[in-house]
Amino acid sequence: MIEYIRGELTELTPALATVEAAGVGYGLNISLNTFSAIQGKKEVRLYVYEAIREDAHLLYGFYNKKEREMFQLLITVSGVGANTARMMLSSMSVAELCNAISTGNAKLIQAIKGIGKMTAQRIIVDLRDKIVARGVTDEIPAGGQIMSPVNNEVKDEAVSALTMLGFSPAPTQKVVVDILQKQPDLPVEQVVKLALKQIK
């Protein structure tokens, strides 16, 4: 699995970035958000999602992990393919999309080209809890209230440690975020210890 590609940005269009790394030029499908973020840069690091099909081996590139995580969640929804997910991430930022999902704003999601009423509702139903549980957004919980941001470095390290201990990432992330909401200054070890007591 390719985690990210770092190298020279040799070609860029609103839909495709070519990054040369170790003498190989990788063509990565990108969203408009990523296009805007890397425009004008010579060296880039893009997080990668690999779509391996019988007829093609496609790479999707993302400026940050949050966008890739959102993309991966979107393509789990029935009726949403990789191109539709990319279209959604080109039409709205990750934060705007998370906000629309968490508040149940189907009309806003329907406004995106290629998204019908049924698909918009399915996206909301399927992803409302997951976007918080997986940490795609730390500020917007499932109910739509605003929470204070958490220390992402501590959160990521704690979730990684707990995942290596065999716990499932989704419930782990939720517990860790809850702990850091209440005690934002805790070090990683303390967060892990508290989480171990709370994870079912």
Side-chain angles (χ1 to χ4, degrees):
M1 176 184 147
I2 302 171
E3 173 64 12
Y4 63 80
I5 293 172
R6 184 173 64 193
E8 184 188 350
L9 183 63
T10 56
E11 286 181 49
L12 181 65
T13 71
L16 191 75
T18 303
V19 180
E20 185 177 324
V24 180
Y26 296 91
L28 299 129
N29 295 286
I30 57 170
S31 70
L32 283 176
N33 285 323
T34 290
F35 171 74
S36 300
I38 64 175
Q39 208 171 9
K41 293 182 185 287
K42 287 182 180 175
E43 292 274 323
V44 295
R45 176 166 72 173
L46 293 178
Y47 292 93
V48 173
Y49 173 80
E50 294 176 84
I52 299 168
R53 304 196 311 241
E54 283 181 20
D55 59 339
H57 184 172
L58 302 171
L59 298 176
Y60 290 84
F62 305 93
Y63 181 64
N64 58 33
K65 287 183 177 181
K66 295 277 186 200
E67 190 184 28
R68 180 176 65 179
E69 188 88 33
M70 191 74 229
F71 176 88
Q72 288 174 306
L73 283 174
L74 287 167
I75 60 174
T76 65
V77 178
S78 176
V80 179
N83 282 332
T84 303
R86 182 169 64 154
M87 176 70 72
M88 293 179 76
L89 289 165
S90 293
S91 306
M92 300 165 86
S93 70
V94 173
E96 288 166 341
L97 199 47
C98 285
N99 196 25
I101 292 168
S102 66
T103 55
N105 193 338
K107 282 188 177 174
L108 196 59
I109 297 170
Q110 269 177 258
I112 299 166
K113 184 184 172 191
I115 303 290
K117 187 178 180 182
M118 293 295 287
T119 304
Q121 288 172 346
R122 201 156 42 229
I123 289 167
I124 289 165
V125 170
D126 287 4
L127 302 187
R128 184 177 256 168
D129 292 335
K130 290 180 186 174
I131 58 172
V132 175
R134 298 249 316 245
V136 178
T137 177
D138 303 316
E139 292 83 22
I140 307 161
Q145 315 95 310
I146 300 300
M147 298 195 294
S148 56
V150 298
N151 184 327
N152 278 325
E153 199 175 322
V154 171
K155 182 200 77 181
D156 290 345
E157 280 187 46
V159 171
S160 177
L162 289 157
T163 305
M164 281 192 264
L165 289 170
F167 293 98
S168 176
T172 300
Q173 187 113 355
K174 204 168 174 27
V175 169
V176 168
V177 169
D178 283 347
I179 290 167
L180 286 169
Q181 287 290 323
K182 292 167 190 156
Q183 302 176 73
D185 299 323
L186 282 182
V188 175
E189 317 84 73
Q190 290 297 320
V191 174
V192 171
K193 281 180 186 173
L194 282 172
L196 285 170
K197 293 175 187 172
Q198 293 180 34
I199 297 171
K200 303 265 187 304

